[in-house]
Amino acid sequence: MGMSPLAEAFVLHFGEMGSRWGINRTVGQIYALLYISAHPLPADEIAETLNFSRSNVSMGLKELQSWQLVRLQHLPGDRREHFSTPDDIWQIVRTLAEQRRRREIDPTLSVLRDLIVAQPAGAEERHAQEKLREMHDLIELLTGWADEVQKLDTGELVSLLKLGSRVVGLLELKNRLPFIGQKRREAHSAEDSPPPD
Amino acid sequence: MGMSPLAEAFVLHFGEMGSRWGINRTVGQIYALLYISAHPLPADEIAETLNFSRSNVSMGLKELQSWQLVRLQHLPGDRREHFSTPDDIWQIVRTLAEQRRRREIDPTLSVLRDLIVAQPAGAEERHAQEKLREMHDLIELLTGWADEVQKLDTGELVSLLKLGSRVVGLLELKNRLPFIGQKRREAHSAEDSPPPD
DNA sequence: CTGATCTTTCAGAATTTTCTGAAATTACAG
DNA sequence: CTGTAATTTCAGAAAATTCTGAAAGATCAG
């Protein structure tokens, strides 16, 4: 491969990891290469660097574009299309979460809902439906949370993550001083906040 | 397949989803079947129900056991081994997170660290290393957070998830009343279980 | 022990996924 | 327009993964 050992090691590892997460190894390698590249790269250079056929790169890039993980741009004085990843790694995470949700999570929730509302044909099915409901509720809770934190700006998100489980202390604090929390936000969806008196 | 339409729909969908997340379709189906089953199942029944060869089921169960996702038990009066999933779905999520971390995240962090400390051979490599460092830090932040929330009991975890982004309000609250937080913990290092006062 | 039952292993078959080269299509400079 | 360079498509080849049957290996009741 026409790469420094450092780049090669990363690209190979990333491709391997990709394939363990359901992403085609080649696509993973293309992404890795774009990610560490200081400049947008044209498809033929990617093909040359990774020793893939030009058509394979074309398909890989198409896949990455369908996931909105790469962007295309034209450089002045060059007719070829150049590809790059977003500069902000948090944007990458957000896109990934959003796409996987759209493609996999939402359809799964929909299947689960359909199965849960069906009339059970006996005790076995009733039990199965109960398990499906548990799974549904869990996925919904997790994705609901993900939706919420997607709305935060990166700084807030990082603070939250750094806080980790210590946030539980704040939860307790809130429960002991509910009146303070009230003042900050007006009637949100009245899910779990204690009703204002 | 020897299953109700409900079970079949779930098993097929779950197998499909599994394969999109890097889990062999067959293994996904076996897991799905065990998950909705009201009783532990012996391997030969799984094979019959899903129309897989007995050996395929054996390998699938071995894989699931290596992930600690199924448990084996002996039922009185039956020499066969019976398999089941944990009853608590949160336990399943925890196990999955733990295993993926051990198998994929940690090795990735290790590769990234090695590459980051290498002497860069030019500007391109320096840029690449900077990108790798960003990725490393992000993964470390996320897994650190995951570690922390793993320590919470399920009730606390659910409260936190339900709170979603509204937790940011609590963060602001904390920043406005630092003395309260102070009282609860000294230095903000790796402690977490708040000593009950 | 013995033999019946259950489980695992593994080489090769079957299947699925990925990759390629050739041809078709598109884009655009002149 | 025209011709060249860039890109995409897609049928079949190649490769990777999964699955199976047969045989070997466990386990255990009697």
Side-chain angles (χ1 to χ4, degrees), chain A residues 19-23 100 104 108, chain B residues 10-29 31-32 100:
Chain A
S19 78
R20 295 218 203 170
W21 287 82
I23 290 152
R100 283 238 137 162
E104 280 131 14
T108 295
Chain B
F10 175 64
V11 163
L12 291 178
H13 182 83
F14 200 89
E16 206 51 54
M17 283 306 111
S19 78
R20 295 219 205 170
W21 286 83
I23 291 152
N24 169 343
R25 202 184 320 271
T26 308
V27 173
Q29 292 187 9
Y31 192 79
R100 283 239 137 159

Side-chain angles (χ1 to χ4, degrees), chain A residues 24 26 52-53 55-56 59 79:
Chain A
N24 170 341
T26 308
F52 297 158
S53 71
S55 60
N56 194 3
M59 293 178 119
R79 243 173 89 179

